[in-house]
Amino acid sequence: MLYSRFQPTVFASAALLSVTILAAPKAHAQTVSADASVTFALPAQPLGQALNELARQANMQLLVRPALVAGKKAPAVNGRMTSAQALERVLEGSGLSAEREGGTVIIKAAAPRSPQAADSVLPAVTVSTARNDPVAEALNPKTTVGSKIPMTAREIPQSVSVIPQERIQEQHFDSLKEAMNYAPGVTVFQSDSSRTQYYSRGFPIGSFLIDGTPTIFNNSMSSSATTFSPDLALYENVELLTGPSGLFNGFGSPGGAINLVRKHAQKEFSATAELTGGTRGNGGAMIDVGGPLNAAGTLRGRAVASYTGADGVQDGTWSRSKVLYGTLEADVTDTTLVRAGISYQDRTTTDPWLWPVYTNGTHGDLPVNHYYGAGWNRDRYTSTDVFAEIHQKLTGGWTAKAVFDYQYDRSSILQSNIAGGIDPTTYIGNMAATNNHASESKFNFDLSAAGPYKLFGRTHQAVVGVNYAKMNDMNRQNFGPDGDDFFIEPVDVRSIDYPLPNWLNLPTDTDVLHTYSRQFGFYGQTRISITDPLTLIVGGRVSWYQSKLSPDSIFNYDGYTPYSLNNSGKFTGYAGLVYDINSHYSVYASYTSIFQPQDDTLTADGKMIKPITGDQYEAGIKGEFMGGRLNTSLAVFQINQKNRAATDPDNPNFSIALGSARSRGFEVTGNGEVLPGWRMFASYTYTDAQLLDQESSDSIASPFGSIAPKHTVKLWTSYQFPNVLHGLTIGGGLTAYSPTTAIRYGITVNQGTYAVADASISYAFTRKTSLSLNANNLFNRDYFGAAYARGLQRTLLLTLRTGF
């Protein structure tokens, strides 16, 4: 018999020792498989009492015969882990094992002592293995950013990292920009208040993927609606690959690739809600609901709605972000999964683009919170994404995946900001206005198949695929009267009076440009198992790229000339070796490459300049401990870039592909659980990036001085208390950078070494309800990120999360 679900007890009759709890989990197939992780606080005590307390803390129903636990002791078990892992530790050395039967966990002898005992003891069962450890999967999940096949970091011969959902919540990352601030080796370059670029190892991260599918990224900072930082409400994890990523993604910059992993429909019902409030106008709400939609569970759905708002650095400025997301997935057959969904993001901000600077390159006594723009500033960015996927299991262990994705982005920019330096004596500077409207539609298709094959008596893996991407971009730029395109007016920045200009929208002062880009490519990769510990990875891709500019026949103020340019049959290579020293350490070496079309740069004969090419040599050692709960890595790298545009000495108005650059350095990382309850995510990156000739330029990248600090340190650590304080978690971290330099309007601006500290404290009242307080820029450090955009001041955020 079982006692009341609201009164956990030990029933020590001749029949069973019964431990009951608040609710019973659903049945699992003959295993104590782990669900969500829980913070346990179990002192060393008699085994029966330990099982009773474990069942209460884990919210599980557990049955055991009194004779099996009589006289036995259980060790102390403290820290955050799954119920299966806690149970395994409690039973360690007891000669007992566990299994699920229906909604109940049965404790039994590990092996029968006689045939008669065997009749009354259920078959032995193994608790979840370390490689299936949900805590390890939550902290260091397998990724697809470096391969189409989900793999651990040790299996990929490049530097990869993941910012999982647990960290997104713990550090309260609302946007990709906030998450990338803590990504190893990444510099967040806030080119203006609305738009963000990301750099790694001195080069832009120009490859963006969603659920492993690459998308064309618009490099035009003046028109693209995709350069703002997307909201993370609809994403589960953020994956980062540093270094060239041309094999699966096609063209791009050698900085790396970012993969955003969408939230998918769950097999069991789950609903969470989140409410946030804080200083500097911060506030928001989010609800996330999903689960099966029919009795069989073959049709599932999930929906997310989110709203966030905050004040800017300057008085009277603000930003607002709205997100809607819905997805459905269906098991059409036992081997076919279909997934589809739609998302919508809307972000509006009123901040001026650029922060004013004195003509001597300093910020002097300019007040931090003063507003340096006009009251009519409005920048708005919207993005709608529709997608569908088909996953098909094939014979021989192979699987195929087809992905269709359509994205439509729009931007509307009505902007006033100080253009140029301010006289430090008179406080007079020039105010300028921008009126720009852009839209872009992007279609992406990716078809791939992956699976094992046998050769020379060993089993290997292969991936083959094809992808296609195209983008249509329309940009409308309105100018002022001839000779004063941006309505430049001198103003006193202490008291700005700058009325809304009158744009006439006439053919004589308006540009309307249509840009078409498309890419097509075949790719393949194989992982050859040379010996048990040694794996050779080789791959290649052949790409075709086309870019076409079509100025409007009437609205063409600047007299743009149409062109159509092509790169055909461009080969991208990949090679790597991974050697497993033992169960914990692997050493690796790799060569990767990528190319980047320069479709806005022409030679004297009117052809598109050769693509920028980049390749990387990387070697390192990776460690994996406690079944993947803790990962470490040490990597050394060198990136070489060629064909950067340089001025043609014989035709100064045109370019030739002569420029080159190089970046070299090393990176050390450690991510995961150091001890039960203590988690740490740390990295140090040294980067030496420089041009190898002074004539070299790059319209895609910013100067190395602002995007590649030599030293970058990032740290976040948290501790979940055991015993009576088991619901309490504290965390803290910092990001630190060595000096950087930026050039704005010909004025050199320097930012010295600085560090920004963050902290958090949270308390879990139950497994599903918690209250957390986050402090960002805890010591209110005044700084300019990448020597360009002023950092946010200290902000406090209070967040209530609950589940249903």
Side-chain angles (χ1 to χ4, degrees), residues 71 79 103-104 207 213 238 246 392 405 413-414 463 522-523 558 567 608 638:
T104 304
S207 298
T213 301
V238 178
Q392 180 65 52
D405 186 274
I413 297 171
L414 193 60
V463 178
F522 295 95
Y523 58 84
D558 284 310
N567 288 125
M608 182 166 60
Q638 177 168 312

Side-chain angles (χ1 to χ4, degrees), residues 79 169 190 207 222-223 254 513 655 659 671-672 676 685 699 713-714 790 800:
Q169 291 187 12
Q190 190 78 34
S207 298
S222 64
S223 63
L513 302 177
S655 299
N671 300 305
T685 306
S699 62
V713 176
K714 300 188 177 184
R790 198 159 208 153
L800 175 65

Side-chain angles (χ1 to χ4, degrees), residues 174 276-285 307-314 316-321 792-798:
D174 286 329
T276 299
T279 61
R280 302 200 59 78
N282 276 272
Y307 170 84
T308 57
D311 292 342
V313 177
Q314 300 178 31
T317 60
W318 49 263
S319 62
R320 304 286 186 266
S321 179
L792 290 173
Q793 296 170 290
R794 179 173 48 235
T795 305
L796 302 178
L797 300 172
L798 186 66

Side-chain angles (χ1 to χ4, degrees), residues 186-207:
V186 173
T187 301
V188 176
F189 183 72
Q190 190 78 34
S191 57
D192 59 48
S193 60
S194 297
R195 293 161 297 181
T196 307
Q197 285 183 311
Y198 311 101
Y199 288 79
S200 175
R201 300 182 176 178
F203 297 97
I205 296 175
S207 298

Side-chain angles (χ1 to χ4, degrees), residues 527-539:
R527 299 178 62 90
I528 302 172
S529 176
I530 299 176
T531 65
D532 286 345
L534 182 62
T535 302
L536 170 67
I537 305 102
V538 292

Side-chain angles (χ1 to χ4, degrees), residues 121 130 133 259 276 346 394 558 673:
V121 178
D133 182 352
N259 181 36
T276 299
D346 185 331
L394 307 174
D558 284 310
E673 189 171 75

